[in-house]
Amino acid sequence: MIRKLASRNLPTDAGTALAQMHDAVGLRIVCSFVEDVYAVARWLSGQSLFSVVETKDYIAYPKPNGYRSLHLIVRFAQGTEAGLLGEIQLRTIATDFWAALEHQLKYKQHIPHEKTICAELRRCADEIASVDISMQTLRDILREKP
């Protein structure tokens, strides 16, 4: 966080981090199905504790490395947190698995054979997204009335 603040020419203290950075306060919600990610996001958007100031839909528009998640940047509206920014990440079990391992394997480090590793991570992300779609389809079929 100190590096992020310094790179933006901001004071490197906790107050500035909480007031200026949306990822100083965060919450991750892991859902079973993609449909649930969007349902929880809609529910959260209706809460009075905070307002959603930005939505980043990396499920519909994945990052180049294959990362998929829905991020809600929120501003707290009440209490001592009023005005502070936070980030809520919503993802499926499958994409959480991928993100955790991708982070462990390569986050902020030099990687030998980086092009190959990145391509393989992207392939895995795409396969996991396909599995998410298949699981959602199975759930939809099971919900149909005979």
Side-chain angles (χ1 to χ4, degrees):
M1 185 58 66
I2 290 172
R3 280 183 291 224
K4 276 187 182 182
L5 290 166
S7 73
R8 295 174 187 183
N9 295 318
L10 294 170
T12 56
D13 60 88
T16 303
L18 289 170
Q20 300 294 320
M21 306 301 288
H22 64 77
D23 58 350
V25 175
L27 174 69
R28 181 172 300 134
I29 299 172
V30 179
C31 301
S32 296
F33 299 93
V34 173
E35 178 183 271
D36 298 341
V37 167
Y38 289 105
V40 170
R42 283 190 302 276
W43 179 81
L44 288 169
S45 295
Q47 300 305 304
S48 61
L49 266 171
F50 50 79
S51 60
V52 176
V53 296
E54 185 178 1
T55 300
K56 298 178 180 181
D57 191 343
Y58 300 119
I59 296 171
Y61 305 98
K63 287 188 171 186
N65 69 347
Y67 177 79
R68 288 168 171 85
S69 185
L70 184 68
H71 294 203
L72 303 177
I73 310 304
V74 299
R75 185 177 309 280
F76 291 93
Q78 302 174 15
T80 57
E81 300 84 16
L84 298 181
L85 292 170
E87 181 174 53
I88 303 172
Q89 297 177 352
L90 298 107
R91 55 175 77 146
T92 65
I93 295 166
T95 56
D96 188 58
F97 157 78
W98 179 89
L101 293 180
E102 189 269 351
H103 185 81
Q104 182 182 334
L105 290 171
K106 74 179 277 282
Y107 189 69
K108 292 187 181 177
Q109 61 179 322
H110 173 71
I111 302 166
H113 313 290
E114 183 171 11
K115 199 171 187 178
T116 301
I117 298 297
C118 290
E120 186 63 12
L121 284 168
R122 175 62 196 233
R123 188 189 64 73
C124 289
D126 292 344
E127 285 186 20
I128 287 169
S130 178
V131 168
D132 265 340
I133 291 168
S134 295
M135 296 305 285
Q136 183 67 57
T137 300
L138 290 170
R139 179 191 202 193
D140 292 345
I141 291 168
L142 290 170
R143 285 180 163 176
E144 287 178 8
K145 302 217 181 206

